[in-house]
Amino acid sequence: MDWIRNNPAIRHLSQALNLRSAAHRVVASNLANVETPGFVPSAVSFDRSLAEAMGKGAGVLVRTHPRHLAGSGAGGDSGAVIEPNPDSSPGNDLNAVNIEREMEALAENTILYNAAAQILARKFQGIREAIDTTR
């Protein structure tokens, strides 16, 4: 089944799901720290993540700041580049989490994750149908 694993569309959709999953974890972490004084929210840099993936093939998680999230190990890295959110501005307690912005990011990310999952499911459905017609 290497031809499925090496299929560019399936590989890219799988990577998109991994990046969206990483973005969801980052937003959830930001929301969990909404009351933490001095907390600086993070965001997944999709542009840098894409550049990393295109430049290095599989995409390698790069930690350019000590507060970046670490990868989950072999085969589990999302390839996401996570960095401090450039749109954040700290309040009186130096916490820069904006609940409305984070909820908006969560909703947008959920829609994009579901879209990629549906497209991937249709790809696999097409493969299943092709296999069934050859029997």
Side-chain angles (χ1 to χ4, degrees):
M1 292 293 184
D2 284 337
W3 63 273
I4 292 176
R5 191 179 1 227
N6 294 328
N7 180 297
I10 292 173
R11 193 173 59 245
H12 290 123
L13 287 166
S14 174
Q15 188 168 23
L17 289 174
N18 288 339
L19 287 172
R20 293 292 165 195
S21 180
H24 189 86
R25 287 190 303 272
V26 169
V27 171
S29 173
N30 291 345
L31 289 169
N33 285 289
V34 71
E35 301 271 333
T36 305
F39 182 79
V40 177
S42 297
V44 171
S45 172
F46 286 99
D47 293 339
R48 288 197 46 210
S49 298
L50 179 61
E52 285 291 321
M54 305 257 319
K56 296 182 181 170
V60 177
L61 184 65
V62 177
R63 289 185 74 179
T64 58
H65 188 276
R67 292 186 62 160
H68 287 180
L69 299 176
S72 58
D77 287 345
S78 64
V81 177
I82 301 168
E83 51 193 24
N85 189 341
D87 297 331
S88 60
S89 58
N92 292 338
D93 63 354
L94 301 178
N95 182 305
V97 176
N98 180 315
I99 294 175
E100 290 82 15
R101 188 179 309 129
E102 295 300 327
M103 292 303 292
E104 178 183 327
L106 187 63
E108 178 183 359
N109 191 62
T110 299
I111 290 168
L112 293 171
Y113 180 93
N114 288 337
Q118 288 177 2
I119 294 168
L120 188 58
R122 288 186 188 133
K123 281 282 188 198
F124 283 122
Q125 180 63 32
I127 292 169
R128 259 193 305 273
E129 288 174 4
I131 291 170
D132 287 344
T133 60
T134 60
R135 290 184 182 177

